[in-house]
Structures are given as C-alpha cells and as structure tokens.
Amino acid sequence: MGLFNLKRRHSAEIAEELHPQTTETDVEIPREKFTMESKAVEKNELPIFDVYRRLGEDWETKGYTDAKAFPETSYRESNKLAIVEKLSLLVEESLIKYDDKIVEMETLIEQSKKNGFIETLNKQERQKDILIRHLKELGELAKDIKNKGSKTRVILTSYEMGFARGIASISDDKVNSIMG
C-alpha cells in the first residue's frame, strides 16, 4: 500500500508541474482583449470621423517630441511634408469608402422601392443624404490639404510651434549645463 500512495503522490506532483493550478487573481485579461466590444464601435463609425480625429491630434506635442529627438530644420520640413501626405492619403481613402457606401445605399434604396418599403426607403434616403454631405466635406478637405488651406495651415503651424519649443528646450538644457 505504501508504494501505491507514493506513486499516486508522485503522479500528483507531475500533474501539478505540467498543469499548475491558477486562481482568478493569477490571470488578468486586459479590457482591450475583448474584441467584440471594440470592433462593434469601429465598424459603425463613418470614415469622416477618422479624418477629423487625425486633424485634431496634438500636433504641437508631436513637433516638440520630434525636435527633442532630432533638432534639424530639414527634419522638420520633411515631417511637415509627411504630415500633409498622410492626411491626403487618409482623405483619399475615406473618399473611396464613401463612394462605395453610396453605391451600396443606392442598391438598398432600389430594393426598398421595388418592395414598397416606404419607411425603410425614407430612412435609407436620409442616410444617403448624410453620406453625400460627408463626401462633399471630404472633397473640401482634400482641396484644403492640396492647397495648404486654413485647416492644414493650423496643423503645420502647431507642429512648427512645438518644434520651436523643443529646440528652445534643448538650448535651455545646454545653457543650464554650461552654467552649472
């Protein structure tokens, strides 16, 4: 009997090594890992909101950070060009998405007309109007970016201000280190 108990205890130790027991406090899953919740929000959002979120970023802090990392005016100018090009690409991508959404909406509208779904048809036509309005706004943004209009100038000016603050900070740090 003693040998049987020894083998059973040895088997339990091996099982514990292979499959250690965990408690609820040992395993913590961050909220971001729950994909169902975040994907539902992302799919329902229209592309114009991505563009405006990008336009509203903290460009001054970005410029400051870039200056601290690499304080060269050629670097600043390259980054300003990259900002404009990335914004342009984002707007172009959004324009394509809106064109596709409008085609889909027109198909749904035709189906609703054929089937006599008046309430659904009215709702779809309102949604199509929103898409067309957004499409026009994106067209205006594309022109603004291309011509470096008022919305684009605000971003570039903010970036330059941050870059200048970063260069000034570097200068202050060097003066302080020299002065002791």
Side-chain angles (χ1 to χ4, degrees):
M1 279 283 199
L3 185 60
F4 178 71
N5 286 337
L6 181 63
K7 283 185 178 182
R8 187 166 46 172
R9 194 175 80 212
H10 183 66
S11 299
E13 289 172 358
I14 291 173
E16 178 64 29
E17 287 178 18
L18 293 176
H19 305 289
Q21 297 285 333
T22 58
T23 63
E24 288 183 34
T25 58
D26 290 340
V27 179
E28 187 174 319
I29 301 172
R31 187 167 186 86
E32 304 86 53
K33 297 293 181 186
F34 296 107
T35 57
M36 289 179 65
E37 183 177 306
S38 62
K39 294 218 184 219
V41 172
E42 290 173 12
K43 286 187 177 185
N44 290 333
E45 190 171 87
L46 294 171
I48 197 166
F49 299 116
D50 288 336
V51 173
Y52 275 110
R53 190 173 11 275
R54 181 79 171 139
L55 291 172
E57 287 181 7
D58 187 359
W59 295 101
E60 189 170 347
T61 301
K62 172 110 172 83
Y64 179 86
T65 305
D66 288 349
K68 293 289 272 185
F70 197 74
E72 293 288 328
T73 56
S74 62
Y75 182 71
R76 179 191 66 209
E77 295 306 315
S78 295
N79 278 339
K80 285 173 38 181
L81 181 63
I83 288 168
V84 170
E85 293 300 320
K86 286 178 183 177
L87 286 173
S88 181
L89 286 174
L90 180 60
V91 169
E92 291 297 322
E93 177 185 337
S94 297
L95 286 167
I96 291 169
K97 286 180 181 178
Y98 272 96
D99 284 337
D100 292 346
K101 286 180 180 290
I102 289 171
V103 168
E104 287 176 28
M105 191 59 66
E106 287 172 345
T107 302
L108 291 173
I109 288 171
E110 287 303 314
Q111 289 174 350
S112 294
K113 280 182 185 176
K114 287 179 184 175
N115 293 320
F117 298 144
I118 303 300
E119 288 180 25
T120 304
L121 176 65
N122 291 336
K123 180 180 176 185
Q124 291 168 341
E125 286 176 342
R126 284 192 308 272
Q127 290 172 339
K128 181 183 172 191
D129 291 342
I130 290 170
L131 293 175
I132 290 171
R133 202 171 58 240
H134 286 188
L135 186 66
K136 288 178 183 176
E137 176 66 20
L138 284 169
E140 293 299 317
L141 282 172
K143 289 177 190 173
D144 186 86
I145 292 168
K146 183 178 180 182
N147 299 326
K148 293 187 182 162
S150 62
K151 292 177 182 175
T152 307
R153 277 195 313 266
V154 167
I155 291 170
L156 296 176
T157 301
S158 180
Y159 181 83
E160 282 185 26
M161 288 170 42
F163 202 90
R165 275 191 326 112
I167 299 242
S169 175
I170 290 171
S171 296
D172 285 347
D173 290 345
K174 288 190 180 192
V175 166
N176 289 338
S177 71
I178 291 170
M179 297 305 287

